Amino acid sequence: MSQNNGNVPVSEVYWSLVAKADKKFSKIRDLPYYERNRYDTYFYKVFKVYTQLWKFQQENRHKLVEAGLKRWEIGDIASRIGQLYFGQYMRTSEASYLSESYIFYEAVLTREYFKDGLLQDLNLANKQLRFFARFLTVCLVLNRREMVYQLVNQLKLLVADCKRTFQDTDFKEWKLVIQEITKFLKVDTAFMNIRPLRYSLTLDLHPDSLPSIANVKRKLKLGDAILCSYHPNEVKFSELTLDNFRMLQCLEWEPSGSFYKSSAIAPTITGTSGQNGGLSGSSRINYSQEISDPTLPPNPRKAVLYRPSITHFLAVLATVCEELPPDGILLLYISASEYVAHSLQPNTMHSNAASTSPSSSACDNITTSSEENISNCPGFHSGGVNLGVKGNGGLNLIYPCDFLPFTRKPLFLVIDSGNSHTFEALNREVKGEPVAMLLSPRSSNGTARSDIQMDKLNEAEKVICSSLNLWGDMLASSDTLHPVWAQVLGDPFLRRLIL
């Protein structure tokens, strides 16, 4: 048996590193995507362990294979590194983490780490299925649609093979996964993606070229965003709803070869195909160069919530507000079905959202769930929005006055609901900062035509671009623009949403 330093067999050192990495991975897997600063140090420690593990198996590959190391075990490590990178992207919104996740997942796919014995081992088949599902999410967010369609086809074939091979096992959940991604791609058509949702420097103004704002006392920039969506039977894939997906895209920089620099530094763990089925940096395709530009500001940090309880929603909101920098503003996006109040709901969350400062406002003085206090909350009688299943005594309802304690910090509220107008009540009861609000119309006249004439579409696109720039100049030069809008018009993402 080959020996390592201190006469310890190489295989023992390797499996000790695997156990250490597994232990740390299990601890961070279920940590929340908010409270980023609190967990940053721990995540770097996990990355360090996986860097050591990956380097060790590369340097001792031959000895480890002789000792019984399987290809799927190498793939399992690479897949987990991809998970780590994607999780860190979801916590920080840094594009480099997303690209590294893609690199590792693509290498696992092209090297077919899980192929050997796939249909002889149910556990191995499930690993490959989970790998497909995770890689699909990464490709959706990265907007690599060709790879998405390739993965969907492979997923369908594998599920069909597994059903024939493992006849005693029910693959109903994987058939549901296929149905979800098929519906998602059908709704999010190619036509919808002709103009990128991300901020594109080929279509939108560079941040340095934005017009100066007249009579603005302070300038706020979008630092954080909370995205939350809930509709019965909504279009989604895994925990990524279509509405959250599109808004997430709207708050990212569009990759463009016209502005990235080729000198981008690769992270410690690199991920393209190397020799012996491994991953190395020598022949990497540097995807991080495609989706990042060191001359641009970082993407706003985003917390994407999937069907949260109201207590969890408010906890995230409070945490993100606490971390907001002095010159930052928080974007809060809610897409949810409307709720119209017909009677009092004594079990709502208003008693837990009370402010601590003295005020004559009913919501500030709530200490109990009494019907009298709840009925005096601004906007209560007009209803709110529903973030969960109906019929549980109002525990999933969000009312305008739930946000009152958080108006001490700058808020940019986007409500996409048939009941969005009820949130206008917020600005009658604010605690410090007027709220910038974009409220959806009560009804929309959308079209879903597939016979679009591309020449007409391109003409319309040019008119829209020139009109947006003109309107932006008019707003920037206006002496009567309300300060709540003037202070955010210099932020490229918020400016585009407003226009």
Side-chain angles (χ1 to χ4, degrees):
M1 177 63 68
S2 300
Q3 305 292 305
N4 194 41
N5 292 338
N7 295 322
V8 179
V10 169
S11 59
E12 287 190 20
V13 176
Y14 173 76
W15 289 114
S16 175
L17 280 173
V18 169
K20 183 178 179 181
D22 285 347
K23 184 178 180 180
K24 290 187 176 296
F25 182 86
S26 64
K27 287 183 178 179
I28 68 166
R29 181 171 49 192
D30 299 323
L31 290 179
Y33 285 153
Y34 62 102
E35 290 188 290
R36 296 99 165 168
N37 298 335
R38 180 179 177 183
Y39 300 114
D40 278 351
T41 302
Y42 190 77
F43 276 104
Y44 286 123
K45 290 181 180 179
V46 178
F47 277 120
K48 183 179 180 180
V49 172
Y50 272 93
T51 301
Q52 294 173 342
L53 175 60
W54 191 255
K55 183 179 180 181
F56 187 85
Q57 65 84 23
Q58 282 185 312
E59 294 174 346
N60 299 276
R61 176 70 58 83
H62 182 69
K63 297 175 184 178
L64 290 171
V65 170
E66 286 183 342
L69 181 68
K70 302 292 192 300
R71 278 183 59 81
W72 71 262
E73 292 172 315
I74 301 171
D76 210 27
I77 298 172
S79 181
R80 285 199 167 185
I81 294 172
Q83 281 183 261
L84 284 173
Y85 273 125
F86 184 71
Q88 193 67 351
Y89 159 75
M90 292 298 290
R91 290 176 178 89
T92 65
S93 297
E94 291 186 22
S96 60
Y97 290 125
L98 181 62
S99 65
E100 287 300 322
S101 179
Y102 181 93
I103 290 167
F104 269 88
Y105 279 135
E106 186 194 41
V108 173
L109 181 72
T110 56
R111 288 288 171 174
E112 299 181 322
Y113 280 116
F114 298 122
K115 183 177 180 180
D116 296 342
L118 181 65
L119 296 179
Q120 284 78 47
D121 186 339
L122 180 59
N123 180 57
L124 194 55
N126 279 320
K127 283 183 179 291
Q128 179 77 317
L129 290 169
R130 290 192 294 269
F131 162 76
F132 281 145
R134 294 186 182 112
F135 193 15
L136 271 170
T137 301
V138 172
C139 292
L140 281 174
V141 176
L142 199 51
N143 206 23
R144 296 194 176 274
R145 286 305 171 98
E146 290 185 4
M147 181 60 80
V148 168
Y149 289 116
Q150 177 184 332
L151 290 171
V152 170
N153 289 333
Q154 292 190 41
L155 179 62
K156 289 179 179 178
L157 291 174
L158 180 57
V159 170
D161 289 341
C162 287
K163 286 173 61 180
R164 287 191 296 268
T165 304
F166 306 105
Q167 297 183 4
D168 295 335
T169 304
D170 185 8
F171 290 90
K172 183 178 179 180
E173 63 177 301
W174 290 107
K175 289 187 287 185
L176 180 60
V177 169
I178 293 173
Q179 291 173 5
E180 280 190 350
I181 188 61
T182 301
K183 186 177 181 181
F184 191 102
L185 295 174
K186 183 178 180 181
V187 174
D188 196 49
T189 60
F191 167 68
M192 295 296 295
N193 292 285
I194 290 175
R195 179 188 174 99
L197 292 175
R198 292 194 186 104
Y199 197 101
S200 171
L201 294 187
T202 60
L203 297 172
D204 305 297
L205 292 177
H206 191 282
D208 294 336
S209 301
L210 295 179
S212 58
I213 315 300
N215 300 322
V216 61
K217 293 183 178 180
R218 67 171 179 174
K219 297 180 180 180
L220 298 178
K221 60 183 180 181
L222 178 60
D224 286 84
I226 298 175
L227 314 180
C228 183
S229 168
Y230 175 77
H231 294 276
N233 303 314
E234 63 190 328
V235 177
K236 69 180 185 69
F237 177 66
S238 184
E239 295 187 354
L240 184 63
T241 67
L242 185 62
D243 286 344
N244 277 351
F245 166 74
R246 288 177 173 169
M247 183 56 73
L248 183 149
Q249 297 279 305
C250 287
L251 303 178
E252 302 254 318
W253 295 103
E254 171 67 12
S256 172
S258 64
F259 64 85
Y260 78 80
K261 291 187 176 181
S262 59
S263 59
I265 299 175
T268 304
I269 303 178
T270 56
T272 51
S273 303
Q275 296 179 348
N276 302 321
L279 307 177
S280 70
S282 59
S283 60
R284 63 180 289 136
I285 302 172
N286 201 336
Y287 287 105
S288 62
Q289 292 179 357
E290 292 186 27
I291 66 171
S292 61
D293 176 9
T295 68
L296 290 173
N299 291 323
R301 298 192 306 180
K302 295 171 286 291
V304 183
L305 304 183
Y306 175 70
R307 299 186 178 182
S309 66
I310 299 303
T311 50
H312 178 61
F313 176 85
L314 294 176
V316 174
L317 179 55
T319 301
V320 175
C321 279
E322 186 68 22
E323 295 180 348
L324 200 64
D327 63 344
I329 186 170
L330 168 64
L331 184 148
L332 180 56
Y333 170 76
I334 298 178
S335 174
S337 55
E338 64 184 278
Y339 170 77
V340 179
H342 298 294
S343 60
L344 298 178
Q345 300 288 338
N347 293 324
T348 56
M349 289 303 306
H350 297 84
S351 59
N352 295 329
S355 167
T356 57
S357 67
S359 170
S360 60
S361 167
C363 277
D364 260 1
N365 291 328
I366 289 177
T367 56
T368 67
S369 297
S370 70
E371 295 184 359
E372 179 183 359
N373 283 332
I374 294 176
S375 65
N376 288 330
C377 289
F380 171 76
H381 289 291
S382 300
V385 295
N386 200 327
L387 294 185
V389 180
K390 297 180 180 180
N392 64 349
L395 289 177
N396 292 325
L397 302 178
I398 281 285
Y399 292 94
C401 61
D402 284 315
F403 298 124
L404 279 179
F406 309 104
T407 59
R408 292 176 174 82
K409 293 290 185 74
L411 293 182
F412 192 102
L413 195 60
V414 181
I415 304 293
D416 191 358
S417 174
N419 213 20
S420 60
H421 63 282
T422 63
F423 288 83
E424 293 175 354
L426 261 181
N427 275 340
R428 297 194 294 270
E429 300 284 343
V430 292
K431 299 301 155 200
E433 296 278 351
V435 181
M437 284 185 276
L438 297 180
L439 307 177
S440 65
R442 301 191 186 191
S443 61
S444 60
N445 295 316
T447 61
R449 295 178 57 184
S450 59
D451 58 340
I452 301 295
Q453 298 181 30
M454 292 306 299
D455 56 339
K456 299 294 184 184
L457 178 65
N458 290 330
E459 290 179 18
E461 185 67 44
K462 292 178 181 178
V463 173
I464 290 175
C465 286
S466 61
S467 299
L468 292 180
N469 289 331
L470 176 61
W471 296 337
D473 291 339
M474 293 172 63
L475 286 175
S477 61
S478 173
D479 292 329
T480 59
L481 184 63
H482 194 285
V484 76
W485 301 110
Q487 65 188 5
V488 300
L489 205 56
D491 181 273
F493 294 108
L494 299 181
R495 176 182 183 273
R496 188 173 63 153
L497 289 178
I498 292 169
L499 295 177

